[in-house]
């Protein structure tokens, strides 16, 4: 274990912006039918080695199990370690969604920094301390960390992606189907950043409130940072809220963000993949951006033999025809619609052979 650092002195600015009885860190925890995970989760909060002041802010989103009772049963133990506990909620017939619950948990809290914690995950003892230290130095950044997946081996590709992104890729790979490069269960940020960007979308079930908020951070010029230690056990199970969001909703958000951030700055580009995903991206683009697509490129000879992709659904006459080339004959910049980490390194080798730089010559979309 790393030795506990001495208590940090507050800066003058922090002293002047203190409101009421602000604490250093509020742990923000929306709860919905989580009683079976809560003991492990709350024990881990109790075990934090952070030496600053902390509170736990829980909002119960119409749970029908005994989640609130479980949290209440931990109150004395948490308060004995100077962790204040704030619990509220509602008991309507239906939950109002994760965005709503997070917003309520934040508005009833008073921490200068916010540590987001899902009720089914488990923090390692250094989580709050290490992310707090990073957040104090990077007030305008969203801070994440590496994760361990439980059960082990579930979502292997996704977990590898979360943990192996480089600092540059945290910014360049924000358009992929994996979603936020700093994953929601690991989020930690200053209240100042949250107030500038937030609140969360309260559309409820089916709204990827984390992706919407994440894109908003980037629009506002916020930074992204990951503490390169595994600080969270990130649980995978069928009840997880992520499963209620449709792929189409996420696809549309990603396409719109790609057009807004990247394609509007390019005069023309090539879509890398003449198959289903590449064609779907082409069809999803605005007409202005469709006209910028100079070619599809691929490695599959059968597709290349066809010579062209004809956009049959187009209302234009003649219907747009886009050439299909071998990737070696194509010119950048590229939007890559090939799944990351699925080609046994072949895609990466091909990109390297063309000496392309990610974030300038190409972006991953899949």
């Amino acid at each position: 274990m790393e030795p506990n650092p001495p208590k940090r002195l507050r800066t003058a600015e922090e002293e002047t912006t203190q409101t009421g009885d602000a604490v250093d860190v509020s742990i923000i925890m929306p709860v919905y039918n989580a009683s079976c995970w809560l003991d492990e989760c709350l024990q881990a909060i109790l075990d934090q080695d952070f030496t600053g002041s902390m509170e736990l802010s829980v909002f119960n989103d119409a749970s029908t199990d005994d989640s609130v009772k479980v949290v209440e049963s931990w109150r004395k133990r948490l308060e004995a370690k100077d962790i204040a506990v704030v619990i509220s909620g509602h008991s309507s017939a239906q939950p109002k969604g994760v965005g709503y619950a997070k917003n309520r948990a934040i508005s009833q809290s008073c921490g200068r920094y916010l540590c987001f914690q899902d009720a089914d995950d488990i923090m390692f003892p250094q989580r709050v301390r290490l992310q707090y230290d990073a957040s104090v130095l990077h007030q305008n950044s969203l801070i994440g960390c590496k994760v361990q997946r439980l059960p082990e081996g579930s979502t292997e590709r996704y977990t590898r992606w979360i943990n192996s992104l480089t600092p540059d890729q945290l910014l360049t790979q924000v358009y992929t189907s994996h979603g936020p490069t700093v994953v929601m269960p690991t989020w930690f940020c200053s209240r100042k950043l949250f107030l500038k960007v937030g609140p969360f979308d309260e559309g409820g079930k089916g709204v990827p409130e984390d992706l919407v908020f994440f894109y908003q951070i980037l629009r506002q010029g916020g930074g992204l940072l990951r503490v390169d230690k595994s600080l969270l056990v990130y649980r995978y199970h069928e009840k997880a809220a992520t499963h209620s969001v449709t792929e189409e909703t996420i696809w549309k958000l990603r396409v719109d963000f790609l057009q807004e951030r990247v394609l509007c700055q390019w005069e023309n580009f090539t879509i890398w993949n003449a198959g289903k995903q590449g064609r779907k991206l082409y069809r999803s683009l605005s007409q202005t951006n469709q006209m910028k697509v100079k070619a599809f490129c691929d490695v599959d000879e059968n597709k290349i033999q066809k010579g062209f992709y004809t956009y049959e659904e187009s209302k234009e006459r003649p219907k747009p025809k886009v050439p299909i080339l071998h990737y070696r004959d194509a010119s950048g910049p590229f939007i890559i619609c090939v799944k990351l980490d699925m080609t046994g390194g072949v895609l990466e080798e091909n990109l390297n052979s063309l000496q392309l730089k990610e974030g300038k010559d190409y972006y991953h979309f899949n």
Side-chain angles (χ1 to χ4, degrees):
M1 288 287 281
E2 300 161 46
N4 279 359
K7 278 207 176 180
R8 193 186 59 83
L9 291 170
R10 295 211 176 90
T11 62
E13 185 207 3
E14 282 174 25
E15 287 294 358
T16 54
T17 55
Q18 242 180 299
T19 51
D21 300 319
V23 295
D24 292 323
V25 178
S26 293
I27 296 169
I28 302 301
M29 197 160 88
V31 169
Y32 174 66
N33 289 353
S35 65
C36 59
W37 324 114
L38 278 168
D39 284 329
E40 271 183 295
C41 174
L42 295 166
Q43 181 64 54
I45 291 171
L46 200 63
D47 293 340
Q48 291 302 298
D49 65 13
F50 178 60
T51 55
S53 53
M54 269 197 299
E55 70 171 359
L56 171 64
S57 177
V58 173
F59 187 86
N60 169 42
D61 190 18
S63 295
T64 53
D65 66 2
D66 61 350
S67 290
V68 175
K69 217 160 107 189
V70 177
V71 179
E72 279 294 357
S73 74
W74 280 83
R75 185 190 284 274
K76 278 203 171 99
R77 279 171 280 182
L78 289 160
E79 287 174 350
K81 276 200 78 177
D82 289 329
I83 302 169
V85 181
V86 186
I87 307 175
S88 72
H90 70 97
S91 51
S92 312
Q94 291 296 321
K96 294 188 179 176
V98 188
Y100 178 88
K102 278 183 203 146
N103 287 338
R104 296 303 165 287
I106 291 163
S107 62
Q108 72 190 15
S109 73
C110 63
R112 279 176 290 271
Y113 293 86
L114 307 174
C115 173
F116 292 88
Q117 174 69 24
D118 285 352
D120 51 357
D121 295 335
I122 306 159
M123 344 181 158
F124 287 109
Q126 321 90 306
R127 179 182 175 193
V128 171
R129 172 168 57 87
L130 294 180
Q131 288 192 301
Y132 174 82
D133 289 348
S135 203
V136 166
L137 294 173
H138 304 273
Q139 302 263 328
N140 199 39
S141 291
L142 181 65
I143 313 292
C145 62
K146 291 185 173 181
V147 301
Q148 276 181 28
R149 209 56 158 137
L150 197 68
E152 239 176 286
S154 54
T155 67
E156 203 176 325
R157 278 177 57 236
Y158 178 51
T159 308
R160 186 160 55 236
W161 179 79
I162 293 169
N163 290 336
S164 63
L165 288 166
T166 66
D168 285 344
Q169 286 172 332
L170 291 177
L171 288 164
T172 57
Q173 294 203 7
V174 297
Y175 309 101
T176 78
S177 54
H178 283 325
T181 48
V182 173
V183 294
M184 171 71 219
T186 70
W187 285 5
F188 194 110
C189 67
S190 65
R191 181 178 291 270
K192 213 157 54 177
L193 178 66
F194 176 80
L195 292 174
K196 185 171 105 173
V197 176
F200 287 105
D201 187 303
E202 296 188 357
K205 202 171 175 175
V207 173
E209 85 297 326
D210 56 341
L211 186 63
V212 173
F213 188 88
F214 181 75
Y215 282 167
Q216 206 48 38
I217 285 177
L218 296 171
R219 285 189 182 105
Q220 304 251 2
L224 302 173
L225 199 89
R226 187 186 64 218
V227 174
D228 278 330
K229 279 196 164 62
S230 192
L231 300 179
L232 186 79
V233 175
Y234 179 13
R235 206 187 291 267
Y236 178 81
H237 57 91
E238 285 312 313
K239 283 201 201 101
T242 8
H243 301 311
S244 70
V245 182
T246 71
E247 268 180 43
E248 276 315 303
T249 305
I250 290 177
W251 174 276
K252 189 175 176 337
L253 282 167
R254 288 167 50 219
V255 171
D256 289 349
F257 199 59
L258 180 75
Q259 296 193 104
E260 175 193 323
R261 306 281 290 189
V262 177
L263 302 185
C264 69
Q265 297 181 38
W266 286 354
E267 283 173 24
N268 52 44
F269 62 99
T270 297
I271 294 176
W272 190 306
N273 184 356
K276 209 162 101 183
Q277 290 291 306
R279 297 195 306 262
K280 182 179 177 185
L281 173 62
Y282 174 83
R283 290 194 303 272
S284 304
L285 298 174
S286 67
Q287 196 173 359
T288 309
N289 284 324
Q290 284 177 350
M291 288 163 74
K292 293 182 183 181
V293 179
K294 51 186 168 177
F296 287 93
C297 74
D298 214 295
V299 291
D300 181 341
E301 286 302 336
N302 292 329
K303 289 179 191 133
I304 297 162
Q305 293 286 298
K306 287 185 181 136
F308 284 94
Y309 162 68
T310 307
Y311 180 27
E312 294 294 354
E313 297 87 346
S314 175
K315 297 196 167 43
E316 279 183 71
R317 293 294 175 269
K319 290 175 182 173
K321 285 180 120 171
V322 185
I324 300 174
L325 309 172
H326 190 282
Y327 79 88
R328 278 196 296 271
D329 302 322
S331 60
F334 299 93
I335 295 297
I336 315 281
C337 288
V338 179
K339 280 187 182 168
L340 280 160
D341 198 13
M342 284 290 271
T343 59
V346 173
L347 172 68
E348 290 73 10
E349 274 170 33
N350 293 343
L351 289 168
N352 287 338
S353 74
L354 299 177
Q355 294 178 313
L356 301 173
K357 182 171 164 37
E358 187 171 0
K360 178 174 159 283
D361 306 309
Y362 70 92
Y363 285 88
H364 282 286
F365 187 71
N366 255 31

